[in-house]
């Protein structure tokens, strides 16, 4: 991942996620506080994990034998531990294009609102059972935060943002991302929500 | 995993491992101290992870695209962090039958020596580059601990111990084990070396 290292170093801390990933949902609740503890800001980077499956030879976790069953149990107990409402909706997994493009739009148009928007999308999907793959649903979640609903809907269909999401997904692939969430901490890759403490140690210590 | 829960509860804390798993090597260095902190003893349970691949549809980590590269990097940094000599030998992955059968023999014949034997096998493989799939090599590692080398060699070829290892691997499969290390904490399944802290919390709190 030498090329990835060089590209990432300027970004400091990157949090790569797919809106359809339960582990990314849990990480999304923690990453901002973790970054603050080490004096960093996390750059949130949506991508489409499913687009990488041909290369990673993986499948959605819930469709994997044994791991899928374990995942359901693991998510439920993580939710209980943190007092979070959580359920895998009937329509899971979802296609994350619409909320991802809206996020990329906000990142340019209203950067301070992008992360709250992303957290609201995660909560809508996993706490409230809202199908955020539907642009109207994702935009309505944004509207509840006071964002411009029409602009969000436009973003979901914007060819430039579609390309940007494709490019970002290609970047993930090029840098060796194979799951979500995935972190780069000063270029060092970390996979999984249960590596947040290690990412924090890495950033605090400067690596080892 | 309801059936597994019932079967496991009497055992309290189980540490399932394959001698060929680097993550199990790292967990093996920590699990005894973790268990002691919560007033438990870990029951070490060798099994053959490769025998489960047809069911889990997985492959040795080093042979998986992207994850394999990441694994090599992750093991190296974990080793640096803990000051442990570590290298993936040329002959990796190894077949764990010989040391696993020897462990099962010691479990009956000299139970207090079984865990030190297992830790020595892990260190031989990952710190010293010894091919412990060879019965003679595994027995020689045991002999350095003062164990009866001939009895260990006999164990590697003992039909009853062969069957016992097959049965233990079948038990792992029946209880939903799909990776190594794998823990059951009062019946609750946890996968991965990076879940040791969660296992500890679970045991300390009685679960949640």
């Amino acid at each position: 991942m030498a090329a990835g290292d060089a590209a990432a170093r300027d970004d400091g801390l990157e949090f790569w996620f797919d809106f359809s990933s339960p582990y990314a949902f849990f990480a999304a609740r923690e990453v901002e506080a973790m970054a603050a503890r080490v004096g960093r800001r996390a750059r949130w980077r949506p991508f489409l994990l499913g687009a990488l499956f041909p290369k990673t030879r993986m499948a959605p976790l819930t469709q994997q034998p044994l791991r899928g069953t374990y995942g359901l149990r693991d998510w439920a107990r993580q939710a209980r531990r943190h007092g979070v409402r959580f359920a895998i909706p009937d329509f899971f997994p979802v296609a994350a294009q619409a909320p991802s493009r809206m996020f990329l739009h906000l990142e340019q148009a209203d950067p301070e609102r992008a992360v709250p928007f992303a957290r609201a999308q995660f909560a809508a999907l996993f706490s409230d059972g809202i199908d955020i793959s539907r642009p109207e649903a994702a935009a309505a979640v944004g509207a509840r935060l006071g964002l411009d609903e029409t602009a969000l809907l436009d973003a979901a269909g914007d060819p430039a943002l579609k390309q940007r999401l494709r490019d970002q997904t290609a970047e993930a692939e090029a840098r060796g991302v194979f799951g979500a969430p995935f972190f780069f901490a000063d270029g060092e890759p970390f996979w999984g929500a249960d590596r947040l403490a290690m990412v924090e140690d890495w950033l605090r210590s400067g690596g080892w």
Side-chain angles (χ1 to χ4, degrees), chain A:
Chain A
M1 295 180 206
D5 289 357
R9 195 157 293 275
D10 291 339
D11 293 322
L13 172 58
E14 295 169 77
F15 167 50
W16 288 79
F17 63 96
D18 183 305
F19 279 111
S20 189
S21 162
Y23 284 118
F25 163 74
F26 289 110
R29 299 181 68 257
E30 313 265 343
V31 67
E32 295 291 288
M34 182 277 280
R37 284 195 295 272
V38 292
R40 299 289 192 107
R41 281 191 78 152
R43 182 175 173 200
W44 289 44
R45 308 208 62 185
F47 74 108
L48 301 178
L49 180 60
L52 307 188
F53 287 153
K55 182 163 177 183
T56 62
R57 289 197 245 122
M58 298 304 291
L61 194 61
T62 50
Q63 296 170 20
Q64 292 178 38
L66 299 167
R67 285 180 194 229
T69 308
Y70 176 80
L72 291 169
R73 182 173 192 145
D74 193 40
W75 299 325
R77 72 185 169 202
Q78 302 230 24
R80 292 197 305 274
R81 188 188 204 185
H82 297 291
V84 182
R85 274 187 300 127
F86 176 86
I88 294 292
D90 297 339
F91 46 85
F92 187 83
V94 300
Q97 277 85 346
S100 298
R101 292 170 191 153
M102 293 176 189
F103 177 92
L104 294 174
H105 155 70
L106 289 170
E107 205 176 35
Q108 298 176 302
D110 195 357
E112 293 301 315
R113 318 284 288 276
V115 166
F117 171 85
R119 293 189 55 168
Q121 296 296 324
F122 271 125
L125 176 58
F126 290 115
S127 296
D128 299 328
I130 295 171
D131 183 358
I132 59 169
S133 71
R134 295 176 48 243
E136 298 74 16
V141 170
R144 290 209 300 272
L145 300 178
L147 293 165
D148 181 336
E149 194 163 357
T150 306
L152 292 174
L153 275 174
D154 288 348
D158 183 329
L161 292 168
K162 288 182 181 181
Q163 187 58 45
R164 197 179 171 89
L165 182 58
R166 278 193 291 269
D167 290 346
Q168 189 141 302
T169 298
E171 183 188 339
E173 180 168 352
R175 291 172 65 194
V177 173
F178 55 83
F182 207 97
F183 305 89
F184 290 95
D186 292 333
E188 184 74 12
F190 294 89
W191 168 49
D194 39 17
R195 290 303 182 88
L196 271 166
M198 193 180 283
V199 172
E200 183 170 350
D201 286 351
W202 187 273
L203 290 169
R204 182 169 280 130
S205 68
W208 57 80

